[in-house]
Amino acid sequence: MRHICLFLAVVLFSAASIFAQSPYGFRGPYRNGFYPETGLLKTWPADGLQLVGEFAGIGKGFSSPVIANNHLYITGLHEDGEQEVFYAFSLDGKKIYETVFGKSWSRSYPESRVTPTIEGNRAYVISGVGELVCINTANGNIAWKVDGPSLGIIYASWGVAECPLVFDNKVIFTPCGNSTTMMALDAATGKVVWKTEPLGDPTNYASPILITHNGKRQIIGVTGRHIIGVDPSNGKIEWKYDEWGREFYRKNNPDAPLRSEESTAPNSPLYSNGRIYLSCGYEFGSVMLELNGDATAVRTVWRNNDLDAHHGGLVLVNGTIYGTNWVSNSQGNWCAVDWNSGITKYNTQWGNNGKGSIITAENMLYCYAERSGVLALVRPNPEKFDVVSEFRITKGEGPHWAHPVIDKGILYVRHGSVVLAYRIKP
């Protein structure tokens, strides 16, 4: 009974925090890969899950679907290879409309990468070159648009991949560059509410998160060189931290071979109880920070060089961080690290599947290998990578980079130009 009460307390606390921001966006209602579903299967059939839906003709992309208003929304690359498209489907797989909303990234990997954020009857998307667009979800019409490139964006290697953060009738966007770092726009009109000071940094790929620390709200964002804490009421940068990534690695490892990769940090930070965890990728390691009492400064708590997630996300379950590390662009191990101490619990291969993305629901892990397309149900065991069931996604094309989504007992998995829906509830 005590365990049930504790579980309900956690769920109710988490549910209360949903209403601080839109619950419909990248990596679930809390932006941390946790989906508050119950009654899900604890094992899967030997021949794989039951396929109950298919959403095709969405263009190539790595963004995840969002389920809201009894619809599925997703972005994809236009057939001309130069524009991005916002799609709306009914949940039985029928396409309702498609809207061309912006220019795709023109260099490596032009496929769409930005997951929409849905708030009421509006969708917010960002193109690969940094155009922030508001779309009326009822008819697909563009309500307003902000030309990010005109803000002086300094692009990183793969353009923009940020999922907009929406709360208090504000849309948060992190264009970086020399005119601002982060900005808030009125959700209804697109008018600028505030801009932070510029740091002169290139863009990054992580989506910002909204936290509450000792009763104080703060936006945690990531640029190409900094982690920042921003006052959501006025855009003041209250603290910034730069002891991570490529420059920090080179300064502290002068005899190591020079690395050409940038400081990517494509994963949103994890936050819990005053601590912020950031993983960098490309063997730059990860770092745990702790906020001071009034969230005006941070200190380094620990570093870990095993779990440096590439772009598959991370989850925190029962005091352990789970995810994959970067061995090469196509290889990586699955890891578990203790949240409090930073001690690695395991760093292991999953067969020949390599690294991938991860989400969690009802105290289970859902792991999706980006190279092989194997999807697995895994127990969150800090002692070993404990696979319960697995099967392979065979439809679609390209890398399996889109993060899975769970909604009302259905697991949605994108692979290239198709989304597959699997029943995971009896």
Side-chain angles (χ1 to χ4, degrees):
M1 183 67 180
R2 178 178 177 272
H3 294 295
I4 294 174
C5 292
L6 180 60
F7 173 76
L8 288 175
V10 171
V11 170
L12 290 172
F13 175 80
S14 298
S17 69
I18 283 181
F19 301 104
Q21 64 187 36
S22 171
Y24 304 110
F26 187 47
R27 289 184 60 76
Y30 317 103
R31 295 194 157 216
N32 62 0
F34 170 73
Y35 290 84
E37 298 267 334
T38 58
L40 305 179
L41 294 171
K42 298 304 181 185
T43 62
W44 295 344
D47 57 351
L49 292 168
Q50 178 188 2
L51 182 66
V52 294
E54 186 171 330
F55 304 80
I58 58 174
K60 294 181 179 180
F62 309 122
S63 59
S64 299
V66 175
I67 317 302
N69 308 324
N70 291 315
H71 289 78
L72 181 146
Y73 304 103
I74 198 163
T75 61
L77 183 66
H78 192 273
E79 60 185 9
D80 66 8
E82 297 180 356
Q83 301 178 92
E84 292 189 56
V85 184
F86 176 78
Y87 298 92
F89 285 81
S90 60
L91 293 184
D92 60 3
K94 295 179 182 177
K95 186 184 295 184
I96 299 172
Y97 62 76
E98 56 184 74
T99 300
V100 175
F101 67 87
K103 296 179 180 178
S104 63
W105 184 240
S106 60
R107 303 176 203 170
S108 58
Y109 300 109
E111 295 89 342
S112 69
R113 70 288 302 278
V114 174
T115 297
T117 300
I118 310 297
E119 174 70 3
N121 63 352
R122 300 188 188 106
Y124 301 92
V125 289
I126 303 175
S127 71
V129 300
E131 301 157 292
L132 175 60
V133 184
C134 174
I135 299 171
N136 185 324
T137 57
N139 53 28
N141 292 339
I142 293 177
W144 54 260
K145 187 172 186 176
V146 172
D147 183 36
S150 68
L151 297 172
I153 292 178
I154 300 174
Y155 293 107
S157 299
W158 298 285
V160 177
E162 172 186 357
C163 177
L165 174 65
V166 181
F167 66 94
D168 291 353
N169 198 42
K170 293 193 285 281
V171 183
I172 306 303
F173 177 36
T174 318
C176 298
N178 292 316
S179 64
T180 184
T181 299
M182 179 183 287
M183 59 193 301
L185 301 106
D186 183 277
T189 66
K191 293 182 179 179
V192 175
V193 177
W194 51 251
K195 290 183 178 182
T196 68
E197 64 180 286
L199 298 177
D201 292 354
T203 57
N204 212 303
Y205 317 108
S207 301
I209 61 173
L210 180 67
I211 69 165
T212 301
H213 176 61
N214 291 337
K216 176 181 179 178
R217 293 200 302 175
Q218 191 170 76
I219 303 167
I220 308 299
V222 185
T223 74
R225 298 192 183 101
H226 292 88
I227 312 169
I228 57 175
V230 177
D231 186 330
S233 66
N234 57 22
K236 178 185 177 182
I237 297 178
E238 298 190 283
W239 58 266
K240 54 182 182 287
Y241 180 89
D242 64 359
E243 296 178 7
W244 65 283
R246 180 179 59 183
E247 287 76 13
F248 180 80
Y249 177 87
R250 287 181 174 176
K251 182 174 69 174
N252 289 276
N253 297 273
D255 298 327
L258 291 179
R259 304 183 57 82
S260 60
E261 292 87 353
E262 60 190 32
S263 300
T264 54
N267 304 290
S268 295
L270 288 179
Y271 172 79
S272 179
N273 196 29
R275 288 187 170 189
I276 301 163
Y277 173 78
L278 185 76
S279 185
C280 305
Y282 296 108
E283 290 187 326
F284 294 134
S286 59
V287 60
M288 178 69 80
L289 308 178
E290 186 171 63
L291 288 161
N292 66 356
D294 61 358
T296 57
V298 292
R299 70 177 183 90
T300 303
V301 179
W302 52 255
R303 298 182 185 275
N304 181 285
N305 291 326
D306 291 322
L307 181 51
D308 59 335
H310 194 194
H311 47 61
L314 301 144
V315 295
L316 173 62
V317 180
N318 300 328
T320 301
I321 309 166
Y322 295 93
T324 60
N325 63 17
W326 183 93
V327 174
S328 69
N329 281 343
S330 61
Q331 297 290 336
N333 297 331
W334 293 77
C335 301
V337 170
D338 183 80
W339 175 268
N340 290 318
S341 66
I343 294 173
T344 299
K345 308 300 289 186
Y346 66 72
N347 179 356
T348 186
Q349 293 182 356
W350 171 23
N352 295 317
N353 294 304
K355 55 189 171 66
S357 55
I358 185 170
I359 60 173
T360 182
E362 204 174 31
N363 203 36
M364 296 295 283
L365 307 178
Y366 294 75
C367 302
Y368 185 32
E370 66 180 46
R371 183 167 53 86
S372 67
V374 172
L375 184 66
L377 183 66
V378 178
R379 291 187 189 90
N381 182 347
E383 302 305 320
K384 66 176 182 176
F385 188 68
D386 192 3
V387 176
V388 176
S389 305
E390 64 180 56
F391 72 101
R392 189 182 303 273
I393 302 295
T394 57
K395 292 188 177 182
E397 69 288 308
H400 300 259
W401 283 346
H403 296 205
V405 171
I406 298 174
D407 183 78
K408 297 180 177 64
I410 304 297
L411 177 66
Y412 295 89
V413 183
R414 180 185 191 154
H415 183 207
S417 59
V418 64
V419 173
L420 304 171
Y422 296 95
R423 187 176 303 283
I424 57 172
K425 193 169 187 176

